[in-house]
Amino acid sequence: MTPEDILTGPLLERIRGRAAGYDRDNAFFHEDLADLQAAGYLKIFVPAVDGGLGLGLTEAAQLQRLLATAAPATALAINMHLVWTGVAQVLAARGDSSLDFILQEAAQGEVFAFGNSEAGNDSVLFDSRTEAVPLPDGGYSFTGRKIFTSLSPAWTRLGIFGKDSSAQDGAGELVHGFITRATPGYEILPDWDTLGMRASQSNTTLLDGAVVPAERIFRKLPVGPNADPLIFAIFACFETLLAAVYAGIGERALTLGVEAVERRTSFKNGGRSYAQDPDIRWKVAEAAMAMDALYPQLSRVAADVDELVDHGSQWFPRLVGLKVRATETARAVVDLAIRVSGGSSYFRGSELERLYRDVLAGMFHPSDDESAHNTVANAWLGPLDTP
Ligand SMILES: Cc1cc2nc3c(=O)[nH]c(=O)nc-3n(C[C@H](O)[C@H](O)[C@H](O)COP(=O)(O)OP(=O)(O)OC[C@H]3O[C@@H](n4cnc5c(N)ncnc54)[C@H](O)[C@@H]3O)c2cc1C
């Protein structure tokens, strides 16, 4: 089965056709979601015997790249569901069945979202400002503020984590679990009004004593970086699928740039197409070369995860390096596409204008530029000396 068998031409064009309207109206992509559910897209990682597509990260990345060429915000938000289901599959492939329930529930149509990011938490997964209070029956009550929860109007399962400060002799423990849409004690704030990625509707989620029962607590980890396979699985799926989305934005921008260059004519040069202008040709070539370097890196990293390649301590540098390469390349390529397309791309409603806003979001996702460079520098140079 090829990506085009799943995201067929007509489906992709329907999704592309709605993207400008969602962006203009700051509306969630309900119709795209229904179409993608009908195509089995939310079951990419679910085993075929359970009614899923039974695919791996390699194919998922190809699909997400393709989807992002049509609708970046739809692809970015769907990523969150794919990350959870991908994490479950990556763990299962390594003999860890602790998240198998995610694949089973995804098979039944549940939609998973990622409620991890917190205001003012630059430790990301390694500490939390959300309070996780242990209950006598083994469950936990969560209170805190989760920001940028994509899929807010549609999720039925939200992955959250918080810190039980009383655990581990007061050192604290990070507790991970899932709430359902019916769980009392959370509120979704109507605060998503952003420059780009508007259809993702990544609203703030306030947790106010939301209870996760014992059987839905799937990890308790010490505060600080650690080598639990969950952390590897989240990084592997998150960074790779995120890179795929931004690769799709770059790919689309290049296509639009080429179309514009072929369409535009030069008065000065006797009505010849800008495709005959050496300066413009140079910029198109530069954009194409940048994209050419990205595709093989993306597919290699995804395949290495699928094939259980052991990169040891070089795994995290590879993953964060891919994310930075993809988001920065996409930004540069959108910029070049706008430069060769001329002033029409500056008008509200032009696709390149939207891509220009959407692509900026890439710099905010973990690992951000500083954290990624720190990870890679540590892998090559060791940690900084303590003064
Ligand atoms: C389009 C998009 C979709 C995303 N989707 C998801 C998702 O589905 N799930 C998810 O978990 N994450 C998601 N992320 C979140 C992302 O991973 C980052 O966490 C997010 O971009 C915040 O980045 P930041 O820390 O640089 O922001 P900052 O600007 O540093 O902080 C964000 C907010 O926190 C406030 N803040 C900053 N410091 C403090 C402080 N010390 N005390 C109190 N408040 C403070 C700021 O005022 C601001 O309102 C998404 C991001 C984007 C751009």
Side-chain angles (χ1 to χ4, degrees), residues 118-359:
E118 297 170 344
N121 178 7
D122 52 4
S123 296
V124 192
L125 280 179
F126 300 135
D127 204 343
S128 178
R129 296 166 65 106
T130 296
E131 257 184 58
V133 178
L135 303 173
D137 61 0
Y140 283 81
S141 149
F142 289 81
T143 299
R145 187 185 186 92
K146 299 292 184 180
I147 57 171
F148 289 85
T149 313
S150 303
L151 289 171
S152 273
W155 59 258
T156 62
R157 301 282 185 271
L158 181 66
I160 56 174
F161 83 122
K163 182 159 69 176
D164 171 8
S165 302
S166 65
Q168 310 233 3
D169 297 325
E173 192 166 64
L174 299 171
V175 183
H176 294 256
F178 281 95
I179 59 170
T180 74
R181 193 111 196 149
T183 302
Y186 76 87
E187 184 189 354
I188 295 171
L189 302 186
D191 60 356
W192 188 250
D193 187 6
T194 48
L195 183 67
M197 295 294 188
R198 290 163 68 77
S200 68
Q201 291 298 308
S202 312
N203 302 54
T204 297
T205 311
L206 288 184
L207 301 172
D208 184 11
V211 171
V212 176
E215 67 275 12
R216 281 315 177 94
I217 298 292
F218 62 88
R219 272 303 191 282
K220 295 185 199 180
L221 300 173
V223 175
N226 68 78
D228 190 279
L230 175 74
I231 304 298
F232 169 75
I234 291 179
F235 263 85
C237 295
F238 189 84
E239 305 292 37
T240 307
L241 292 175
L242 196 73
V245 168
Y246 286 87
I249 298 178
E251 182 175 327
R252 179 64 180 165
L254 178 56
T255 303
L256 291 172
V258 168
E259 283 173 11
V261 165
E262 287 173 339
R263 202 174 47 241
R264 292 175 75 207
T265 52
S266 167
F267 187 44
K268 186 175 67 184
N269 287 324
R272 293 174 81 195
S273 149
Y274 267 99
Q276 301 303 312
D277 180 317
D279 296 328
I280 298 283
R281 293 170 70 85
W282 179 283
K283 288 192 173 68
V284 169
E286 199 172 319
M289 285 190 279
M291 290 306 299
D292 274 350
L294 177 54
Y295 299 128
Q297 187 181 5
L298 175 60
S299 48
R300 188 64 260 157
V301 169
D304 283 359
V305 175
D306 283 340
E307 292 162 16
L308 311 185
V309 175
D310 181 9
H311 287 300
S313 62
Q314 287 291 340
W315 249 131
F316 285 91
R318 277 169 199 252
L319 293 166
V320 300
L322 170 63
K323 183 267 171 177
V324 170
R325 167 72 50 82
T327 52
E328 293 300 322
T329 299
R331 243 190 108 187
V333 169
V334 172
D335 192 82
L336 283 165
I338 284 179
R339 284 171 193 272
V340 299
S341 297
S344 62
S345 60
Y346 197 57
F347 276 79
R348 245 308 157 232
S350 104
E351 190 173 347
L352 273 173
E353 174 264 341
R354 175 161 44 84
L355 295 188
Y356 192 62
R357 291 182 285 108
D358 286 344
V359 81

Side-chain angles (χ1 to χ4, degrees), residues 76 80 114 116-117 119-120 129 147-148 150 197 202 361 364-366:
L76 181 73
M80 306 306 160
F114 223 80
N116 280 359
S117 294
R129 296 166 65 106
I147 57 171
F148 289 85
S150 303
M197 295 294 188
S202 312
F364 304 124
H365 306 291

